[in-house]
Amino acid sequence: MPQHDVLVIGAGLAGQRAALAAAETGASVGVISKVHPVRSHSNAAAGGINAALDPEDSWESHAFDTVKGSDYLGDQDAIEVMCREAPDEVLRLEHLGVTFHRSDEGKLGTRAFGGASAARTYYVADITGQALLHVLYEQLMKHDEVTRYEEWFTTALARDDSGRLAGAVTRNIRDGSLELFTAKAVILATGGNGQIFNPTTNALICTGDGIAMAYRAGAPLMDMEMVQYHPTTLAGIGLLITEGARGEGAHLLNAEGERFMENYAPNKMELASRDVVSRAEQTEINEGRGFPDGTVALDITVVPRHRILQSLREIVNVGRDFAGVDITSEPIHIKPGNHYVMGGIKTDIDGQTDVPGLYAAGECACVSVHGGNRLGANSLLDTLIFGRRSGVHAAQMGRGMAQPTPAGSELAREREAIQSIISRDRSGRRLSEIKAEMGKVMDEQVSVFRDEERLRGALEVVKRLQEEVKTVAVDDKGSVFNQDVLGALELQFMLDNAECIVMGAIERKESRGAQFRTDFPERNDDEWLKHINLTADGDIPAVSYSDVTMTQWEPEERTY
Amino acid sequence: MSILDKILGRDEEPADGDGPKNEAAGYTLKIRRYDPESGETAFWHEYDVDIAPERSVLDGILYAKDHEDASIGIRCSCRAAICGSCGVRINGKSALACNTRISDAQAKAGRGKPIVVEPMGNMPVLKDLIVDMDAVHWKKIQRVVPWLLPDGEPPEREYIVPAESMIDVTQSMACIQCGVCVSACLSLEVDPEFVGPAALAKAYRFVGDPRDGQTEERLRDLAEDPHGMYDCTHCFACIEVCPKDVAPMDQIMRLRRRATGDYEIKDKNNGYGHGKAFVDMIENWGTLHEAQMLPRSFGDGSMIKGQTEPGAVKQLVEALPTAIRGLKSGKVTPKAVLFHPKLPDQDNVRKIYKAIESQGERLELNLYIVADNSADEEGAMAEGTKEGLA
């Protein structure tokens, strides 16, 4: 039974940052990841990381942009913390070895990003997330006081008699053995849940495991309806074209060759908030001004060629390898696609959830700094700031505390659940078919434009699939790298996530940020300037509300 | 399309036909399966997959998992060549499954033949297409002290460094640790102890970083290691297979140029002497004087200076059988040992040397700075594949 002071689940940026921060305080730290840490999806955050580091810039300006971007649903105390601490965090990462782009004078250089009133995005070509992730992993290799459990899959959280978090049940993917880890604090850093949707920019591992496990352990989920559709994804496969392209000056064109953002956001044009740009594109497509394949065009050829090759190299490759397009010489067809969940496990500014001993950081958490819509290049920042804060707080909280004892029989229950999936004979549809149906209904009915009727329809499908997955069988009967049985567990996690997203979307009867209800097309601050919290409660989640924290910015009309 | 139709359709195509590919094409993947729990050896199984030509080999494998057998083991996540999970060998060539188009793989396999998918090489197989990266790849990464070691305390703000230096190391930062180069490395096949292309590229990422304070120590360490930077045989395999254009061998050559040119590290592996001998001979004659290669390499690059490196005597003696074999087979003749002709336009070669030496700095090619050549090729490739796409 492995024991640690702090157990971190997930080893993307939030998880690695939390682990390092906790270890620096002298705590015994274990970090568990279902993939090797450098395979984590933080890799995909290409464009950069925001920080008001320039003396001409200010954290207040960064914070206001974030508040406005969130459509006033972000908690302003949390946003202030994030924006204030951003410069030091970026410098810290620079000191650890991140090869940030430099100006001619050798200082850190920036690029422009959407929804921002200053160019404050620091970057490494268009591999910023990858560079940060690999540099943090270098630090994990250096600091062997952090014990790494690579390719271990966590199936459930464990609590003690008093209800506080006491550990987690985890399967060693390599040999199929199941272990109960105990810890004084558990930090979930398991990332997003984009795989619920098809297509999505998210990697196959983004299955909302931590969100579902926290929900099952009694932690409330907040603002789950807030799901970002990124404006520039490849049709069909959903791969991401970084916002950095528009940051470097690329244009969006409809099939008539018109730069249509003039009609939606005349000031910021292509660099309006993502929800605004995605809705504009979808409107163009729905009203017949898109291309026959249901897309509009992103024209990067207006960016100087040497600049593209130097700083947008990754999307040159994506265009060439996955769309057969040379983006330096012709526009590429794109559409809004599932990208990020602003909602997640409700936490405070130190990552604490409502369950004692349970923390969450990064995309799986909802602090909330992103509210109804996340600004580009704020996600990397979110992972690092709140990963670090969670790590520090969790380590301090556990100091002097006795190792908790998990109550009940989580280990036996999980072992039995896994065994019953493996030993079951096939009687119904394949896992892949259930997943495909979920992905389709979510993308068709819970995406850029929503309404009550189609949301109700989606909920019905999700509830049916939740029943169906209970009896699903798998092909792989082995113990070593049985990815099939993990897929079954992930699908259960995903359906819990899907249910909460649809429930939140039905509940919020207004249009704010990423949630646009065609039956309630206006933002309604009188009734809905509040968070929606969902707690596990039998067949359907229990709904409650909490206030949005305001510090210095009153809600205004939001135009770009 | 049924499997039968597909096979018939293929058979009906003329053998020398170069016509357009069937849009609703089906493909056959021949996957090497291995189940460590079965007690059986590895075996081959064929899967028919029905996906569009522009989709990837990974999409094909996922299709087989989704439709036929979900027990096929493969690590995969991002589908976009950024996470580095899905390294395999396709038709014998190491690659990421996710950025290899299935129609390209079919063309390589040959019409009517299955696309062969195997686990990566040079690493033990754990199950099906999953190899033990920890036992080989990550062990080697750990070997090169893969973290920044700055001198003293960090500055209050950022380190001020030349913009080009950051762009320069960005090429090795672009490495996603997929292990495809490790799989393809021929030196590793001969010497499993070789630090290898990925780890040496990682080493350059620190050697080339002006913030690092251990540049000379790192270079000396990897120059003196008999399995270090001089164990590479310049076969270009890693450059050819790298899905991220990291060009690991180029980074290894940079390590060598830094070790010899900047720090004059005279290593016991004679890497310094060998490189110097090479350069000097080309300057003198324009072509290699093969028979002098060994003695010059072991003699600090020079015949005249002789054996300055005591360890080299032993190696020179050890190399004698090779020399004798060369004499016996006629590859080396006494005449060739003594006389070596100059190139007719040797003066031009010397002019090139002068031009390079007159440059203040060494000219290093870099993907992110001097990208136009490769970009033109990519442009041409994109031109070739544009047809048929919307």
Side-chain angles (χ1 to χ4, degrees):
Chain A
M1 189 164 70
Q3 296 188 359
H4 293 283
D5 296 331
V6 178
L7 188 62
V8 183
I9 301 173
L13 280 180
Q16 292 196 33
R17 190 69 188 85
L20 286 167
E24 273 170 19
T25 71
S28 142
V29 182
V31 55
I32 295 174
S33 175
K34 67 177 176 178
V35 291
H36 186 283
V38 305
R39 313 296 174 214
S40 303
H41 194 55
S42 306
N43 269 327
I49 178 167
N50 288 333
L53 193 50
D54 190 306
E56 305 283 296
D57 200 359
S58 71
W59 71 262
E60 290 93 342
S61 166
H62 180 191
F64 172 71
D65 290 342
T66 305
V67 169
K68 180 181 173 187
S70 80
D71 218 348
Y72 297 90
L73 190 61
D75 287 310
Q76 295 180 7
D77 58 337
I79 292 171
E80 288 190 8
V81 163
M82 180 175 82
C83 298
R84 257 185 209 182
E85 295 182 1
D88 280 349
E89 190 64 28
V90 167
L91 289 176
R92 176 80 199 275
L93 268 296
E94 196 277 325
H95 294 158
L96 289 180
V98 177
T99 55
F100 283 115
H101 172 83
R102 305 290 158 146
S103 66
D104 290 341
E105 303 88 59
K107 296 180 180 168
L108 293 177
T110 57
R111 66 161 44 125
F113 238 63
S117 50
R120 66 168 70 94
T121 303
Y122 295 87
Y123 66 99
V124 181
D126 56 353
I127 57 167
T128 313
Q130 179 190 323
L132 291 167
L133 186 70
H134 284 244
V135 166
L136 280 189
Y137 191 67
E138 289 165 11
Q139 295 300 309
L140 278 189
M141 288 191 279
K142 182 179 176 187
H143 293 282
D144 50 13
E145 57 267 30
V146 177
T147 310
R148 310 195 300 268
Y149 301 90
E150 294 169 354
E151 301 193 313
W152 287 64
F153 184 99
T154 303
T155 69
L157 301 174
R159 289 187 289 175
D160 70 7
D161 285 326
S162 72
R164 75 167 287 123
L165 240 283
V169 180
T170 299
R171 179 178 165 98
N172 183 346
I173 299 174
R174 279 194 173 205
D175 62 13
S177 61
L178 208 61
E179 292 271 8
L180 176 62
F181 285 66
T182 71
K184 298 169 186 170
V186 172
I187 302 174
L188 291 168
T190 52
N193 57 19
Q195 280 292 315
I196 300 166
F197 294 77
N198 185 18
T200 173
T201 63
N202 283 199
L204 296 166
I205 55 174
C206 301
T207 50
D209 304 4
I211 296 176
M213 284 188 283
Y215 176 66
R216 292 174 187 180
L221 306 183
M222 188 163 90
D223 299 337
M224 285 293 285
E225 67 280 10
M226 295 303 180
V227 175
Q228 181 167 80
Y229 267 59
H230 192 288
T232 53
T233 71
L234 292 183
I237 40 178
L239 297 183
L240 176 69
I241 303 291
T242 174
E243 184 166 309
R246 282 171 289 137
E248 300 287 346
H251 295 169
L252 288 168
L253 306 173
N254 63 19
E256 290 152 21
E258 185 194 1
R259 214 176 147 196
F260 58 85
M261 283 310 296
E262 282 168 5
N263 306 323
Y264 300 88
N267 296 318
K268 297 296 285 185
M269 297 293 286
E270 282 84 358
L271 289 177
S273 276
R274 287 177 177 176
D275 57 329
V276 174
V277 181
S278 282
R279 265 194 300 281
E281 290 176 4
Q282 197 61 50
T283 303
E284 292 296 304
I285 294 162
N286 291 352
E287 293 179 357
R289 292 185 295 277
F291 293 96
D293 58 347
T295 61
V296 290
L298 178 69
D299 184 6
I300 310 172
T301 63
V302 296
V303 180
R305 185 180 159 80
H306 74 272
R307 185 67 192 157
I308 298 178
L309 293 173
Q310 193 183 81
S311 69
L312 296 172
R313 191 159 187 94
E314 194 55 38
I315 59 170
V316 172
N317 295 343
V318 167
R320 179 194 67 202
D321 295 341
F322 298 101
V325 171
D326 174 10
I327 61 157
T328 64
S329 65
E330 61 180 324
I332 187 166
H333 287 197
I334 50 84
K335 63 183 294 242
N338 172 274
H339 182 59
Y340 187 87
V341 59
M342 276 73 72
I345 307 158
K346 181 179 191 290
T347 74
D348 67 10
I349 55 170
D350 292 313
Q352 295 190 93
T353 71
D354 286 5
V355 174
L358 181 63
Y359 292 73
E363 191 172 345
C364 70
C366 184
V367 188
S368 160
V369 287
H370 308 305
N373 172 68
R374 175 174 68 74
L375 292 189
N378 265 356
S379 64
L380 290 178
L381 184 59
D382 171 20
T383 63
L384 295 172
I385 298 292
F386 294 103
R388 173 173 52 73
R389 291 181 69 95
S390 301
V392 169
H393 198 278
Q396 281 166 354
M397 188 272 308
R399 205 170 284 160
M401 197 181 123
Q403 197 73 11
T405 312
S409 50
E410 271 85 359
L411 184 62
R413 205 176 56 226
E414 289 302 307
R415 183 173 287 133
E416 198 182 320
I418 290 169
Q419 201 47 50
S420 78
I421 297 171
I422 292 176
S423 55
R424 196 177 291 150
D425 288 329
R426 183 178 304 290
S427 59
R429 294 196 293 174
R430 297 179 67 79
L431 262 177
S432 54
E433 293 171 287
I434 302 173
K435 188 182 174 200
E437 188 179 352
M438 171 185 65
K440 188 162 184 282
V441 77
M442 293 299 285
D443 189 57
E444 285 176 358
Q445 294 175 219
V446 199
S447 50
V448 177
F449 292 110
R450 301 166 172 178
D451 63 65
E452 175 99 19
E453 193 190 334
R454 291 188 307 149
L455 289 171
R456 292 268 171 214
L459 185 62
E460 228 168 83
V461 172
V462 169
K463 295 305 289 184
R464 170 166 55 75
L465 298 181
Q466 279 178 333
E467 286 307 307
E468 189 177 356
V469 79
K470 286 179 187 164
T471 59
V472 80
V474 294
D475 297 332
D476 197 333
K477 308 295 183 190
S479 303
V480 177
F481 277 95
N482 187 335
Q483 300 169 316
D484 204 5
V485 74
L486 302 183
L489 299 173
E490 286 174 337
L491 185 53
Q492 293 176 1
F493 290 148
M494 284 191 275
L495 285 162
D496 282 5
N497 280 261
E499 180 185 6
C500 292
I501 289 172
V502 180
M503 278 295 295
I506 292 172
E507 186 62 24
R508 186 174 288 284
K509 291 177 177 54
E510 66 156 352
S511 292
R512 179 187 301 273
Q515 156 105 337
F516 194 94
R517 290 279 300 256
T518 53
D519 43 356
F520 299 97
E522 300 296 327
R523 193 174 87 189
N524 180 352
D525 287 339
D526 291 340
E527 286 179 71
W528 289 105
L529 185 55
K530 59 187 178 187
H531 299 297
I532 297 176
N533 300 313
L534 302 175
T535 313
D537 182 25
D539 195 38
I540 208 96
V543 179
S544 60
Y545 307 100
S546 53
D547 291 337
V548 175
T549 307
M550 302 273 174
T551 56
Q552 46 178 313
W553 297 283
E554 286 299 314
E556 293 169 11
E557 196 194 346
R558 183 164 166 260
T559 54
Y560 284 100
Chain B
M1 183 193 281
S2 79
I3 294 161
L4 186 65
D5 284 344
K6 187 178 62 193
I7 293 165
L8 288 175
R10 262 192 207 154
D11 284 349
E12 279 166 13
E13 281 170 4
D16 58 348
D18 232 351
K21 275 212 179 313
N22 191 337
E23 281 301 322
Y27 301 90
T28 301
L29 296 176
K30 184 179 173 184
I31 299 179
R32 189 174 190 269
R33 302 292 309 267
Y34 169 64
D35 176 3
E37 296 171 87
S38 68
E40 308 283 324
T41 53
F43 62 96
W44 296 96
H45 195 91
E46 294 192 3
Y47 302 88
D48 291 308
V49 301
D50 218 343
I51 60 171
E54 67 270 17
R55 301 309 285 262
S56 68
V57 171
L58 177 64
D59 287 327
I61 297 167
L62 292 176
Y63 183 99
K65 276 171 80 103
D66 283 351
H67 291 80
E68 195 175 337
D69 184 355
S71 75
I72 302 168
I74 179 167
R75 290 192 186 100
C76 56
S77 183
C78 75
R79 309 162 294 140
I82 49 177
C83 78
S85 299
C86 67
V88 290
R89 280 183 294 184
I90 300 166
N91 302 316
K93 192 179 165 194
S94 301
L96 288 181
C98 73
N99 80 334
T100 305
R101 278 183 198 225
I102 197 156
S103 50
D104 291 347
Q106 184 65 67
K108 291 265 163 56
R111 200 178 290 275
K113 296 215 176 88
I115 297 162
V116 178
V117 185
E118 301 165 83
M120 288 197 286
N122 287 330
M123 288 176 272
V125 179
L126 296 174
K127 176 188 178 179
D128 296 338
L129 301 172
I130 299 169
V131 298
D132 193 345
M133 296 276 292
D134 292 346
V136 181
H137 174 77
W138 288 108
K139 210 170 112 191
K140 293 180 185 300
I141 294 290
Q142 192 87 31
R143 155 74 186 81
V144 301
V145 195
W147 45 80
L148 194 74
L149 292 167
D151 275 338
E153 288 302 302
E156 203 169 302
R157 298 265 306 185
E158 69 268 37
Y159 287 98
I160 309 291
V161 292
E164 299 74 35
S165 67
M166 286 294 106
I167 296 173
D168 177 48
V169 289
T170 295
Q171 184 167 8
S172 39
M173 274 309 288
C175 173
I176 55 175
Q177 310 296 343
C178 65
V180 164
C181 60
V182 173
S183 167
C185 178
L186 295 174
S187 289
L188 259 175
E189 239 174 81
V190 179
D191 174 18
E193 296 296 306
F194 176 35
V195 174
L200 288 170
K202 183 86 177 170
Y204 181 74
R205 175 253 170 283
F206 299 104
V207 164
D209 193 325
R211 296 170 297 182
D212 195 86
Q214 302 288 310
T215 310
E216 185 173 356
E217 291 80 354
R218 289 178 187 274
L219 287 168
R220 195 170 292 284
D221 172 35
L222 291 168
E224 296 290 1
D225 186 335
H227 314 287
M229 65 170 83
Y230 293 115
D231 211 10
C232 163
T233 60
H234 319 174
C235 76
F236 285 79
C238 57
I239 294 185
E240 199 186 322
V241 298
C242 175
K244 306 305 290 187
D245 295 334
V246 171
M249 193 192 95
D250 284 355
Q251 314 306 327
I252 298 173
M253 295 309 128
R254 279 181 196 173
L255 289 175
R256 291 184 183 179
R257 287 192 289 270
R258 295 292 296 269
T260 56
D262 295 355
Y263 292 93
E264 299 203 340
I265 296 170
K266 292 172 186 168
D267 56 287
K268 65 171 184 282
N269 302 306
N270 302 306
Y272 177 87
H274 189 67
K276 190 167 186 305
F278 224 101
V279 171
D280 290 349
M281 280 194 272
I282 300 297
E283 189 176 14
N284 283 338
W285 295 298
T287 59
L288 276 191
H289 188 173
E290 299 267 5
Q292 288 199 11
M293 198 68 222
L294 270 178
R296 274 176 180 255
S297 297
F298 294 158
D300 200 16
S302 158
M303 285 288 269
I304 302 152
K305 274 165 83 179
Q307 310 300 328
T308 54
E309 174 63 59
V313 178
K314 185 168 159 272
Q315 282 169 302
L316 192 53
V317 171
E318 280 170 3
L320 275 176
T322 310
I324 291 165
R325 265 203 310 279
L327 283 166
K328 273 188 178 165
S329 68
K331 259 184 126 178
V332 180
T333 63
K335 188 181 165 215
V337 173
L338 295 172
F339 303 102
H340 190 69
K342 274 184 192 176
L343 279 187
D345 55 352
Q346 180 59 19
D347 284 348
N348 285 335
V349 175
R350 286 181 194 268
K351 274 182 197 156
I352 294 171
Y353 270 66
K354 280 220 173 75
I356 294 171
E357 281 158 8
S358 69
Q359 301 252 335
E361 287 173 49
R362 202 164 48 232
L363 180 69
E364 295 279 11
L365 297 180
N366 180 287
L367 181 67
Y368 284 83
I369 300 172
V370 193
D372 271 339
N373 283 341
S374 66
D376 285 344
E377 276 168 38
E378 285 162 18
M381 273 167 64
E383 287 294 323
T385 52
K386 242 186 303 180
E387 281 178 306
L389 287 168

